[in-house]
Amino acid sequence: MPHPGQQVQRGERERQRIAQEAARLVRENGIHDLDHARRKAALRLGIHDESRWPRQAQVEAALREQQRLFDVGSQPEALHLRRESALQAMRFLHAFKPRLTGAVLAGTADANSPVVLHLHCDDADAVQRFLHEQRIPAEARTRGMRIDAHASPQRVPAWEFAADGIAFELVVLPEDALRNPPLSAEDGKPLPRAGLAQVQSLMHTEQP
């Protein structure tokens, strides 16, 4: 029977393997959902015990390291372009109190990453009308979001479109989500998000 210390070491090695494989899938296959990449990596490696899977933060750390090693010539520029585009879109969509989230905020975005914005409006059709009035062709989607800590995840409206070669995802949330942001499915904590001023400040601190 393996010693408990050996089991701990084995579990950590497997978490590292999954994190590295998930990061590779994000970089090479254009997968931008870290949880999906993590699950796919675990399946490929034949590690089915979820207690031996890395947390998303560990996958993100592995992704940052791989980007520093392999994508130093392209990733920072792709990230900067997406943050600039996020600022423009947030100004354009200011009536819906947009918040930036996802890889563009985290700093791991590459050329395959969409700009993900949370919009806030109790009239779920208002965003659709606005996009139609502005003649922006967008495809309707839904996203699973955990809005309430005491309730199951629910499907919320979302819209996808591209502008100047950059993909956008607009997720429509109720007004109350401004004060009570959606929660991470992994740890139940509020998802990291940033308003316009925060994104502007973030760009000032970018590495040249």
Side-chain angles (χ1 to χ4, degrees):
M1 179 177 294
H3 188 276
Q6 292 176 323
Q7 291 182 331
V8 171
Q9 291 177 356
R10 179 186 175 189
E12 185 54 37
R13 284 196 301 270
E14 290 181 339
R15 277 187 281 273
Q16 291 175 355
R17 288 178 63 205
I18 294 172
Q20 291 294 332
E21 175 64 10
R24 187 190 68 78
L25 290 172
V26 171
R27 288 183 50 253
E28 298 181 5
N29 292 17
I31 299 173
H32 58 81
D33 183 329
L34 292 187
D35 183 58
H36 176 61
R38 179 181 61 170
R39 291 178 178 278
K40 190 168 185 177
L43 181 64
R44 284 191 174 189
L45 296 172
I47 303 172
H48 303 291
D49 182 356
E50 294 189 20
S51 70
R52 297 184 182 273
W53 291 6
R55 299 185 73 83
Q56 289 193 39
Q58 192 171 350
V59 176
E60 190 173 282
L63 177 57
R64 291 180 191 278
E65 182 60 27
Q66 289 189 21
Q67 288 175 335
R68 281 195 293 268
L69 290 172
F70 306 116
D71 302 325
V72 68
S74 60
Q75 190 269 336
E77 181 180 0
L79 172 62
H80 181 75
L81 286 173
R82 278 152 184 76
R83 283 180 171 172
E84 280 191 331
S85 296
L87 282 175
Q88 294 174 12
M90 292 172 82
R91 294 187 184 107
F92 182 67
L93 295 161
H94 67 92
F96 300 105
K97 307 173 187 65
R99 297 292 184 268
L100 177 64
T101 190
V104 177
L105 175 61
T108 57
D110 59 21
N112 297 307
S113 303
V115 175
V116 182
L117 297 175
H118 288 178
L119 307 184
H120 302 84
C121 183
D122 288 333
D123 178 1
D125 295 328
V127 174
Q128 178 184 14
R129 292 195 300 270
F130 179 81
L131 294 174
H132 179 73
E133 290 167 1
Q134 299 298 322
R135 299 183 180 180
I136 297 174
E139 295 188 14
R141 296 283 188 268
T142 61
R143 293 286 181 268
M145 304 292 291
R146 191 176 174 192
I147 305 294
D148 187 331
H150 305 291
S152 300
Q154 64 187 72
R155 306 301 294 183
V156 298
W159 298 92
E160 294 182 354
F161 64 92
D164 297 326
I166 294 177
F168 287 81
E169 292 183 8
L170 309 181
V171 181
V172 186
L173 300 169
E175 289 271 2
D176 185 60
L178 273 171
R179 296 183 300 275
N180 302 291
L183 305 174
S184 166
E186 183 180 58
D187 58 17
K189 295 180 179 179
L191 292 175
R193 308 194 307 171
L196 181 64
Q198 292 169 294
V199 178
Q200 289 174 322
S201 178
L202 191 62
M203 293 192 68
H204 287 315
T205 63
E206 281 184 352
Q207 293 294 325

